[in-house]
Amino acid sequence: MAAEVGAPTPADVYRARARIAGRVARTPLLSSPRLARACGADSVSLKLEMLQPSGAFKLRGATHALLALAPETRTRGVVTASTGNHGRALAWAARAEGVACTVCLSALVPANKVAAVRELGAEVVLAGDDQDAAVAEALRLAETRGLGYIPPFDHPDVIAGQGTLGLELLEDAPDLDTLLVPLSGGGLLAGVALAVKAVKPDVHVVGISPQRGAAMIESLRAGRPVEVAEETTLADSLGGGIGLDNRYSFALVRALADTVVQVSEAEIAAAMRELHRHERLVTEGAAAVGVALLARGEVPGGGRRAVVLVTGNNVDMDRFTRLICERD
Ligand SMILES: *Cc1c(COP(=O)(O)O)cnc(C)c1O
């Protein structure tokens, strides 16, 4: 791998774990004999990251990046441009640490999402007509007000923070041979695979994206970061680009993912129903893509002991209720 200067290492993941200890949940691993039967494996375990207090694993990276800032930057505050789980996580972490948090949002963001960010105690700055304009404003505020800009995935401290999840897996599922990871910007896969492969290099790491708008997978195929048209998907937390100027997550995913696969909207919906009906879990679409893949009837790479990352529960409950009443 052509390691970028400052790219995160396994040692950074261990340091991140010490730093965020007590500030994020150590989430449980739930064994699913039913899913193991469905894909012919010896065991399938679900890592329940939606039990983080902000509703998704992103609290790990956001908390770590915030704590890693220079004290004088932290005193001034942090800024980002995400409405999704990263924005929620950063607002949550900032409130917990007593740090001011600004979230730049475009005029396209619906009022209920703007209100949700404010409810978490963040200051909302409305800027421009699209996500690019919101990011530009966040960078401008970082520059002019001296705030710490914390992006959702392409940042060494964010990646190291997500990797702490992998250290828990090494303790709780030391014999795992296959890891199924929802894939968008790649911060999660990069961090977790970095931690797990440092100890168990033969673990087969599978990145899973929806068929609609899979920017990382298209970039891997092209051999460089590319833009793809954004499309609506049930896995809305997996939408968005990886950045044409991507510095860390693309190279790490290219080096560490053994297989990447895309799943359909119908498969994602069926997996959300499966998780609800049989595991009694509320999950968002992004969190269900690993189960969607196993439901095809086999573990990629022929693995026997699979761990599936179930990453978040940020889903509109009216929509969820309708979805679970439908049939596959
Ligand atoms: C962000 C997110 C992912 C993907 O993480 P990346 O680091 O962007 O690849 C998966 N699931 C959920 C619920 C998320 O919020």
Side-chain angles (χ1 to χ4, degrees):
M1 175 175 50
E4 173 90 9
V5 175
T9 65
D12 292 325
V13 181
Y14 285 90
R15 271 192 289 274
R17 190 185 199 186
R19 234 185 215 141
I20 67 175
R23 290 171 153 103
V24 306
R26 190 189 195 295
T27 57
L29 203 56
L30 177 72
S31 169
S32 173
R34 180 186 159 89
L35 278 168
R37 273 197 303 279
C39 63
D42 295 340
S43 70
V44 170
S45 303
L46 308 173
K47 177 70 167 164
L48 303 185
E49 280 293 304
M50 79 286 227
L51 297 180
Q52 292 294 347
S54 69
F57 74 89
K58 285 204 173 70
L59 192 61
R60 296 174 184 269
T63 300
H64 180 238
L66 189 148
L67 294 173
L69 289 173
E72 57 278 16
T73 308
R74 208 191 306 173
T75 307
R76 287 190 291 265
V78 291
V79 62
T80 196
S82 154
T83 56
N85 284 323
H86 173 67
R88 292 179 61 81
L90 189 64
W92 185 283
R95 187 162 63 180
E97 303 300 325
V99 171
C101 178
T102 304
V103 180
C104 298
L105 301 178
S106 85
L108 289 183
V109 174
N112 61 330
K113 282 205 169 181
V114 176
V117 173
R118 285 206 179 102
E119 233 166 83
L120 286 167
E123 186 199 334
V124 170
V125 171
L126 291 173
D129 293 333
D130 58 19
Q131 180 60 15
D132 288 348
V135 170
E137 177 64 7
L139 288 167
R140 197 187 66 78
L141 289 178
E143 187 70 29
T144 56
R145 296 192 194 165
L147 306 179
Y149 175 63
I150 302 185
F153 53 86
D154 197 28
H155 187 291
D157 295 324
V158 172
I159 294 170
Q162 319 303 27
T164 60
L165 185 170
L167 300 181
E168 294 172 17
L169 293 182
L170 289 169
E171 292 167 1
D172 295 348
D175 63 352
L176 88 160
D177 60 21
T178 310
L179 187 55
L180 291 99
V181 188
L183 176 63
S184 178
L188 175 64
L189 190 147
V192 172
L194 205 55
V196 169
K197 286 197 171 190
V199 177
K200 293 176 68 71
D202 294 336
V203 168
H204 191 89
V205 174
V206 185
I208 306 139
S209 300
Q211 271 162 5
R212 300 167 69 97
M216 179 60 85
I217 291 184
E218 289 304 331
S219 299
L220 292 170
R221 287 186 187 129
R224 64 187 160 80
V226 295
E227 283 186 52
V228 301
E230 243 191 89
E231 297 180 79
T232 58
T233 162
L234 265 176
D236 53 340
S237 291
L238 302 183
I242 69 163
L244 292 179
D245 53 354
N246 188 294
R247 290 185 63 189
Y248 306 102
S249 66
F250 173 69
L252 286 164
V253 169
R254 183 155 65 168
L256 296 166
D258 297 286
T259 308
V260 292
V261 189
Q262 288 166 271
V263 291
S264 72
E265 295 300 302
E267 287 176 310
I268 296 168
M272 290 169 77
R273 284 191 279 273
E274 165 79 22
L275 283 165
H276 176 260
R277 226 170 263 168
H278 299 292
E279 311 297 341
R280 316 289 159 129
L281 301 174
V282 174
T283 56
E284 58 177 286
V289 295
V291 168
L293 182 59
L294 290 183
R296 289 182 184 172
E298 58 187 19
V299 181
R304 307 299 315 159
R305 291 168 303 278
V307 170
V308 184
L309 304 192
V310 183
T311 44
N313 67 6
N314 189 5
V315 58
D316 178 83
M317 282 310 284
D318 291 332
R319 197 164 170 217
F320 182 79
T321 307
R322 281 194 301 276
L323 185 135
I324 56 164
C325 291
E326 288 163 17
R327 297 196 171 272
D328 296 350

